Amino acid sequence: MSRLYFRKGEVASNHAVSTWQSVMFSEFEAQMSSEARPFPCVFGVAGYRQDQLRYLFLDPYDVEVLGAQLALFVAESRSHGPNTSLIVFTRPRPVQTLDAYHRKMWHTLDHLAQLDKSPWPDTIPEQIDHPMWEFSFAGEPIFVVCSTPAHVMRQSRRCSAFTLTFQPRWVFEKILGTEKAAAAAFAEVRKRLIPYDSTSPSPLLGRYGATDGREYQQYFLADDNNSETGCPFAKLAQNKTSPAKDREQAA
């Protein structure tokens, strides 16, 4: 399959101003470029400014197409720069509940794991409830962020449509290579989160590998700190030999 994701400058030349793709990307650009209200994820902002992010627009929302594009992105990612991520936008539709978006995200990750042609990395546990677990695809551990139109209090996770960000684990390893650099980066993120969201930073946010933390809990954050989203799977792709297409979840 040919490349369907774009660099920043390619979006406008491929999608007219009146299209949903243009509207979604304009919203994203406003978030990333605001100086009056800096977006909390300093890595994402740096990637946007340095044109290292890549953007995929899916309509219909086809996980098989997503898998093919994610595999291509992983193969090319190191050539994009140290702050790269793949941002996956879907077409805006009537707003669903947070629970519905949560299920959609996890069914997407499970379906991707079923489609994955590469073995699970030896260094990553397959059991999700483990401090060293990370979603992996095409042999690459990847941190996932889900943003939805149902997020109201937690504006840092709000988008006008269901949106996924896939950030290779090596991005963090490059940026957070020393304890001093990691502490400074996380302090800056927290500093920006406090005025950005209408709720306090989630206690689930933390460092990868910390014994009391779990990566999967950070993929989808509830709109407040009193709710738990959990995870519907103990491990992904329990039935990898026969991937089941969940059309209802992909709609």
Side-chain angles (χ1 to χ4, degrees), residues 13 62 140 158 209-210 221 250:
S13 59
D62 189 323
E140 193 78 66
R158 190 196 176 282
L221 296 178

Side-chain angles (χ1 to χ4, degrees), residues 30-166:
Q31 278 186 322
M32 293 296 112
S33 59
S34 176
E35 294 185 4
R37 192 167 178 255
F39 191 72
C41 181
V42 294
F43 316 115
V45 172
Y48 167 76
R49 289 178 176 170
Q50 297 160 6
D51 196 20
Q52 296 176 2
L53 305 181
R54 297 296 181 265
Y55 310 98
L56 176 64
F57 301 89
L58 287 182
D59 182 32
Y61 183 63
D62 189 323
V63 180
E64 291 193 11
V65 174
L66 171 58
Q69 293 301 304
L70 183 57
L72 184 58
F73 169 78
V74 167
E76 298 180 342
S77 61
R78 282 175 171 78
S79 68
H80 299 328
N83 281 296
T84 192
S85 293
L86 179 66
I87 318 295
V88 182
F89 298 104
T90 68
R91 188 186 188 101
R93 300 189 183 282
V95 179
Q96 301 179 34
T97 64
L98 278 171
D99 284 345
Y101 290 122
H102 177 252
R103 290 193 301 272
K104 184 171 182 174
M105 182 202 75
W106 279 111
H107 279 275
T108 295
L109 298 186
D110 186 56
H111 193 169
L112 286 172
Q114 293 175 31
L115 295 169
D116 194 4
K117 298 177 182 178
S118 300
W120 192 263
D122 292 337
T123 56
I124 304 297
E126 290 192 52
Q127 294 299 315
I128 294 174
D129 190 18
H130 189 288
M132 296 302 294
W133 183 86
E134 190 81 278
F135 173 70
S136 299
F137 191 81
E140 193 78 66
I142 301 171
F143 185 73
V144 182
V145 171
C146 183
S147 301
T148 82
H151 281 90
V152 177
M153 302 292 287
R154 204 175 299 282
Q155 287 285 300
S156 57
R157 292 294 178 102
R158 190 196 176 282
C159 194
S160 291
F162 178 78
T163 301
L164 294 173
T165 298
F166 294 90

